[in-house]
Amino acid sequence: MLKFTDDHEWLRVEGDVAVVGITNFAQNQLGDLVFVELPKVGAQVKKGDPAAVVESVKVASDVYAPIDGEIVEVNESIVKEPQIISSDPMGKGWFFKMKIGVPAQLEGLKNEAEYEALVASAH
Amino acid sequence: MSEALQDFKTDLKRTPLDGFHRRAGARMVPFAGYHMPLNYAGGIIAEHQHVRSAAGLFDISHMGQLTIRARSGDPLAACTALEALVPVDLRSLAVGRQRYALLTNERGGILDDLMVARMPDSLFAVVNASRKDADQKYLREKLSATCDIERHDDRALLALQGPLAAKALEEFAPGVSDLAFMDVRSMKILGRECIVARSGYTGEDGFEISVPAEIAELFAQKLAAKEEVKLIGLGARDSLRLEAGLCLYGSDIDESTTPVEASLSWAIQKSRRPDGERPGGFPGEREIFRELNEGSSRRRVGLCPDGRAPIRHGARLFESKTAQEPVGHVTSGCFGPTVNAPVAMGYVKREIPEGAIVFAELREKRIPTKLVPLPFVKPNYKRSQK
């Protein structure tokens, strides 16, 4: 199951864990990425908390936790090579995995068609 | 994630190259009241590298272009008049040369920074986009007794920057390679009268070219068609100028910073200093002379943070990881593609020496940050042999 936030994060549900990253639209808006800061494994985050930071040449942006939960794994390879996010934002460019705290929160997120409509309206 | 872009305002102005940028795939952003290209398809880092290694074409038509002409017909009278507003020697500026200048206020703060060129019969000034309305009004108010101020909204301004800029421009402006850094000439380009200055805002050799708006697109197309020339947006313009240690008005300097604080004392020639031929006689003279003599309480410096995270405009600087009172702040910061590390500049208290480590506040952390001399990248200007 793939879900999206209004803030351009994506979330893929794999059992009781969600993989989180930023969308192609988001990485495209940011441009060349130069720095990523990830949360600590074990951190408890609430929906809407800034959980990670991504910086381009020009600007720093927060990546928000899309739901409540515990960070169980982070993708160190994007810290070494932030360009991975640009080349494969929905795959190898994932940011962190979190244990889903409140499954009901998933229902408040957008599906792919709804997200595509949001992006289209932003143009 | 947070949205980096603001919504477009509909009242933004467009440069004569607006359509050209859009067709070239530019990402347009609002800047200083204009739709401007932030970057093109290749992205900011590739554009930045291209300017350092070849030649890049920038649209800077948002900037203000002004002619200051003495009604007496004596070109030196315009120099004398403008000297009353800047701590800069303009009377000794030779015809065909330009100089960096600062409009100061009564407290010694900086109203704008500008390039002033001495043309055969007048002065030609390029001022910041965000200040051009205010500058025009101010100059008219202050100089109306002796001078006419004309603003050239009918002209575009292009910058061609990089080690291959002269080679690329030579085809359209034969002889342009003979200009030295800070030389200015009227030259025919595509059959029209243009003003070419060998200067820029990147730390590289290059030119700024004032052209009639009607030929701007054709000229830009012809330049961009050359193999060594790529289009460059404002994003790379900012990282290039920051690596070159050059100030951005509104970020690094403004009405609350003096030339001495901003480490721009070099722009005040000897003739305008207390022991010079024409000492003072500009707004803020008292404060600026006091600071030239005693030093200012803070100064602009280069900043190199540890690690890969850029420190940005507004970040506070502390003497230690725990100190409560800041000792300075960052005024510009980004990732420097040529340096391949974050670069920044900002103001610190005068007591803190070059080489010292301060701590920059970044997301509840404090990043060790070294005070370094500017620029970060050695300039590559074509200085005159004289």
Side-chain angles (χ1 to χ4, degrees):
Chain A
M1 183 171 54
L2 193 58
K3 291 282 190 180
F4 296 85
T5 70
D6 290 356
D7 297 315
H8 309 289
E9 290 95 11
W10 58 263
L11 172 155
R12 197 172 54 240
V13 178
E14 296 175 349
D16 61 351
V17 167
V19 189
V20 178
I22 66 171
T23 65
N24 188 50
F25 175 81
Q27 71 78 18
N28 208 14
Q29 290 288 300
L30 287 167
D32 298 320
L33 301 178
V34 297
F35 177 80
V36 177
E37 190 175 287
L38 294 171
K40 286 200 171 60
V41 171
Q44 295 286 340
V45 293
K46 290 264 181 209
K47 177 183 163 77
D49 282 353
V53 176
V54 58
E55 302 229 16
S56 66
V57 179
K58 289 273 316 161
V59 68
S61 284
D62 288 320
V63 177
Y64 302 114
I67 54 173
D68 295 4
E70 181 190 335
I71 305 294
V72 292
E73 193 180 340
V74 296
N75 184 4
E76 292 291 349
S77 65
I78 62 168
V79 175
K80 291 189 199 85
E81 276 185 77
Q83 302 89 319
I84 294 171
I85 301 163
S86 311
S87 57
D88 192 8
M90 306 284 286
K92 291 193 186 108
W94 63 278
F95 276 60
F96 52 84
K97 295 182 183 177
M98 57 194 298
K99 191 158 191 187
I100 299 167
V102 186
Q105 286 177 339
L106 295 170
E107 284 154 36
L109 301 175
K110 287 190 159 50
N111 65 30
E112 195 157 5
E114 289 165 337
Y115 178 71
E116 292 302 329
L118 172 82
V119 168
S121 72
H123 284 288
Chain B
M1 63 179 301
S2 51
E3 191 56 70
L5 265 192
Q6 288 150 15
D7 287 337
F8 266 51
K9 288 192 197 136
T10 48
D11 56 354
L12 291 175
K13 287 182 272 198
R14 295 171 194 273
T15 77
L17 292 174
D18 189 80
F20 173 79
H21 297 313
R22 290 170 198 273
R23 284 192 298 281
R27 168 133 172 251
M28 302 298 283
V29 295
F31 181 81
Y34 282 81
H35 290 273
M36 295 299 287
L38 178 65
N39 60 270
Y40 302 83
I44 293 176
I45 293 177
E47 289 174 20
H48 178 112
Q49 308 285 25
H50 191 82
V51 173
R52 293 262 185 257
S53 62
L57 179 64
F58 304 73
D59 178 15
I60 50 169
S61 304
H62 58 313
M63 299 189 79
Q65 304 179 55
L66 303 168
T67 291
I68 304 165
R69 185 178 279 111
R71 276 194 290 278
S72 66
D74 174 9
L76 209 50
C79 298
T80 307
L82 189 55
E83 275 199 358
L85 305 179
V86 299
V88 173
D89 183 344
L90 295 174
R91 284 184 58 93
S92 76
L93 187 62
V95 172
R97 295 286 294 164
Q98 70 174 1
R99 188 162 269 177
Y100 180 70
L102 300 159
L103 289 168
T104 48
N105 67 22
E106 291 300 332
R107 297 178 307 281
I110 301 170
L111 291 169
D112 199 5
D113 66 335
L114 61 159
M115 296 299 287
V116 180
R118 174 94 188 265
M119 304 309 286
D121 63 344
S122 60
L123 293 175
F124 178 69
V126 174
V127 305
N128 282 296
S130 61
R131 299 296 300 162
K132 64 183 179 182
D133 292 338
D135 287 354
Q136 181 185 11
K137 184 164 173 277
Y138 177 70
L139 292 173
R140 281 196 173 145
E141 193 180 295
K142 296 290 179 184
L143 305 182
S144 59
T146 55
C147 296
D148 290 323
I149 313 293
E150 185 189 354
R151 185 161 125 191
H152 304 286
D153 286 342
D154 56 344
R155 298 182 76 87
L157 193 62
L158 301 179
L160 187 65
Q161 300 278 298
L164 301 183
K167 178 179 172 274
L169 190 56
E170 187 68 28
E171 179 188 331
F172 307 99
V176 81
S177 303
D178 298 334
L179 298 189
F181 181 57
M182 301 296 252
D183 276 352
V184 185
R185 294 279 182 284
S186 286
M187 300 181 94
K188 279 254 162 68
I189 294 177
L190 303 177
R192 300 290 300 272
E193 207 61 46
C194 298
I195 298 173
V196 182
R198 194 158 198 169
S199 60
Y201 193 49
T202 60
E204 296 299 322
D205 181 24
F207 302 87
E208 293 191 349
I209 311 147
S210 167
V211 306
E214 314 86 76
I215 66 160
E217 182 159 343
L218 181 63
F219 183 40
Q221 270 168 8
K222 285 177 179 287
L223 280 172
K226 296 188 81 78
E227 199 191 341
E228 65 271 29
V229 178
K230 279 201 164 75
L231 299 176
I232 313 296
L234 287 182
R237 185 169 161 83
D238 193 54
S239 55
L240 287 158
R241 70 90 195 166
L242 184 42
E243 283 186 343
L246 300 169
C247 290
L248 172 64
Y249 191 86
S251 291
D252 306 305
I253 51 175
D254 59 31
E255 290 186 48
S256 72
T257 61
T258 68
V260 180
E261 288 177 327
S263 302
L264 296 172
S265 301
W266 58 266
I268 307 174
Q269 285 79 23
K270 189 162 187 301
S271 61
R272 306 299 308 277
R273 295 190 180 208
D275 50 354
E277 297 153 41
R278 296 187 305 288
F282 50 81
E285 167 190 334
R286 250 180 63 174
E287 184 63 14
I288 291 170
F289 279 179
R290 190 186 63 73
E291 289 188 347
L292 279 173
N293 188 34
E294 299 169 14
S296 55
S297 62
R298 57 177 186 162
R299 71 186 196 290
R300 182 175 60 96
V301 296
L303 299 165
C304 276
D306 258 11
R308 302 287 289 174
I311 53 173
R312 312 259 186 196
H313 177 87
R316 298 190 298 169
L317 301 169
F318 295 88
E319 246 174 328
S320 70
K321 289 216 161 176
T322 53
Q324 295 292 306
E325 280 298 306
V327 292
H329 64 284
V330 175
T331 52
S332 284
C334 74
F335 185 82
T338 303
V339 179
N340 191 26
V343 292
M345 56 171 96
Y347 287 83
V348 296
K349 285 187 173 170
R350 68 192 278 184
E351 309 84 83
I352 305 174
E354 198 174 287
I357 305 287
V358 294
F359 294 83
E361 203 168 54
L362 180 72
R363 299 185 279 271
E364 281 106 55
K365 285 198 295 263
R366 289 191 180 180
I367 310 294
T369 298
K370 191 173 182 182
L371 268 60
V372 297
L374 291 168
F376 295 97
V377 172
K378 201 166 89 50
N380 189 23
Y381 304 136
K382 194 193 167 223
R383 304 266 183 197
S384 69
Q385 303 302 308
K386 284 166 241 168

